[in-house]
Amino acid sequence: MMKKLVLIDCDPGHDDAIALLLAFARKEWDILSVTTVAGNQTLEKTLHNALAVLSYAEIKVPVAAGYAKPLLRKLITAPEIHGETGLDGPALPEPNFSPEPVHGVRQIIETIRKQNEKVTVITTGPLTNLAAALIGAPDIKEKIEKIVSMGGAAGVGNWTPAAEFNILVDPEAASFVFTSGIPLTMVGLDVTNQAIMEHDDIDWLKRQDRKIATFVAELLEFFIDQERVGVKGAPMHDPLAVAVAAVPEVVVCKKYPVKIEMGGNYTTGRTVVDFNRITGEEPNVDVALELNRDLFFKLLKGAILSYG
Ligand code: RIB
Ligand code: CA
């Protein structure tokens, strides 16, 4: 059976780190590369964190650093949520391998170009790298099966009342990707804020007495109960995007026209979902609106335990 070809673009980040662990537990996947983008923290820190997590989990994959800032705007980071390192909490050893000596956008373009089969692209950070790749090499569009993107919200935001963080950091990049014509599943706060790990889950992870389960517990201990975004527990934003790419039935999606607000006084970064088709625009995004919680946590916990 041909493996599913996958690319991951991320900004580790606690939930990105857990998303990477879930992704590399999928034995039916061939993850061709991991690229990092500035978002939760600066590019230097998200790159270091990706290398450190992959090293700690003994995962070997080409990793390349992409954009250090959004296409047009100043970078917003999230130390309030992820700490100064972007992965505060666990004491991770230094990475045991180096990044590719190539820009992450070049890595995305060249990796996709050399495949004979279509690739699924999973994004768990701002969409700067993917947008730049599509702008720089439009030919890769036809070799992308679909994009599964953690970002946006049909409902309220988490960084402003209107906007979710990943989209807000680079609304222009998000707009370009969302209107690229490539099949796109938006895994937004509407479902990720239902995918909550609780204190009991941390205790369960610790009881497993396994290296990676303990590592995830330590990540959650720092990440949990981030009152700033009004969510109790630890929302598994990015792991849910990976789960959707692996087992689409973990959510229920419906296709709607979705536009990205780039010029609002209070609404910049909002994913504007035209539920009532008022605009008459063609639907362009599969919006995830319902979560199968039991299935998701079965996938996530099974993946964590699959590491020795
Ligand atoms: O809004 C949640 C998203 O922003 C997640 O991807 C988290 O890692 C941060 O990047
Ligand atoms: Ca992220």
Side-chain angles (χ1 to χ4, degrees):
M1 174 89 164
M2 266 291 287
K3 291 203 171 191
K4 184 192 191 94
L5 302 180
V6 175
L7 289 187
I8 298 175
D9 190 74
C10 56
D11 64 335
H14 293 68
D15 54 332
D16 302 74
I18 300 169
L20 287 172
L21 295 172
L22 174 53
F24 282 92
R26 302 304 302 180
K27 300 309 172 202
E28 76 279 13
W29 285 4
D30 178 2
I31 301 174
L32 303 166
S33 97
V34 170
T35 45
T36 62
V37 66
N40 282 325
Q41 260 297 353
T42 61
L43 178 67
E44 182 192 1
K45 293 177 180 177
T46 60
L47 173 64
H48 176 272
N49 293 339
L51 292 168
V53 170
L54 293 165
S55 299
Y56 191 63
E58 299 172 49
I59 295 164
K60 276 281 183 273
V61 61
V63 175
Y67 267 75
K69 65 173 289 298
L71 294 179
L72 301 178
R73 297 174 188 252
K74 263 171 52 62
L75 176 62
I76 305 169
T77 56
E80 305 91 322
I81 305 293
H82 299 276
E84 273 315 307
T85 69
L87 211 52
D88 280 19
L92 265 183
E94 284 303 300
N96 61 22
F97 71 104
S98 302
E100 300 298 302
V102 65
H103 192 283
V105 173
R106 173 64 45 207
Q107 173 83 359
I108 291 170
I109 293 169
E110 298 309 331
T111 303
I112 291 176
R113 278 180 171 162
K114 67 184 169 192
Q115 305 310 319
N116 296 321
E117 303 295 326
K118 286 194 172 188
V119 179
T120 294
V121 178
I122 302 172
T123 69
T124 64
L127 288 163
T128 314
N129 288 342
L130 183 54
L134 294 173
I135 292 166
D139 60 283
I140 65 173
K141 277 189 188 180
E142 62 196 28
K143 298 187 78 173
I144 297 177
E145 179 80 34
K146 70 174 168 180
I147 299 163
V148 182
S149 184
M150 192 282 136
V156 297
N158 66 353
W159 213 254
T160 71
E164 178 278 327
F165 181 79
N166 285 340
I167 307 296
L168 176 67
V169 169
D170 199 338
E172 286 73 22
S175 182
F176 193 87
V177 172
F178 273 54
T179 56
S180 67
I182 301 168
L184 187 145
T185 301
M186 179 177 110
V187 183
L189 300 176
D190 317 286
V191 285
T192 67
N193 275 343
Q194 297 173 47
I196 303 290
M197 289 281 262
E198 309 282 0
H199 289 276
D200 292 351
D201 295 309
I202 294 176
D203 297 340
W204 177 84
L205 286 165
K206 288 181 172 175
R207 287 198 303 274
Q208 305 311 307
D209 192 23
R210 289 173 182 235
K211 169 183 170 183
I212 295 300
T214 303
F215 170 55
V216 173
E218 291 166 352
L219 285 169
L220 294 176
E221 278 174 330
F222 181 87
F223 186 60
I224 201 162
D225 296 345
Q226 299 285 358
E227 296 300 337
R228 182 199 185 281
V229 292
V231 176
K232 289 297 286 174
M236 293 291 94
H237 304 296
D238 298 336
L240 183 54
V242 170
V244 170
V247 181
E249 49 274 19
V250 75
V251 292
V252 175
C253 296
K254 199 163 176 212
K255 198 161 187 178
Y256 292 105
V258 180
K259 286 283 191 290
I260 310 295
E261 177 58 64
M262 293 175 275
N265 290 333
Y266 308 105
T267 56
T268 295
R270 180 158 188 73
T271 46
V272 181
V273 180
D274 182 6
F275 282 114
N276 296 321
R277 306 295 301 281
I278 292 170
T279 63
E281 303 253 3
E282 272 307 299
N284 57 317
V285 175
D286 288 302
V287 180
L289 292 168
E290 290 170 45
L291 170 66
N292 181 334
R293 282 176 49 80
D294 292 346
L295 177 54
F296 171 63
F297 283 109
K298 181 165 168 269
L299 291 169
L300 179 59
K301 293 183 174 179
I304 294 168
L305 291 190
S306 72
Y307 289 85

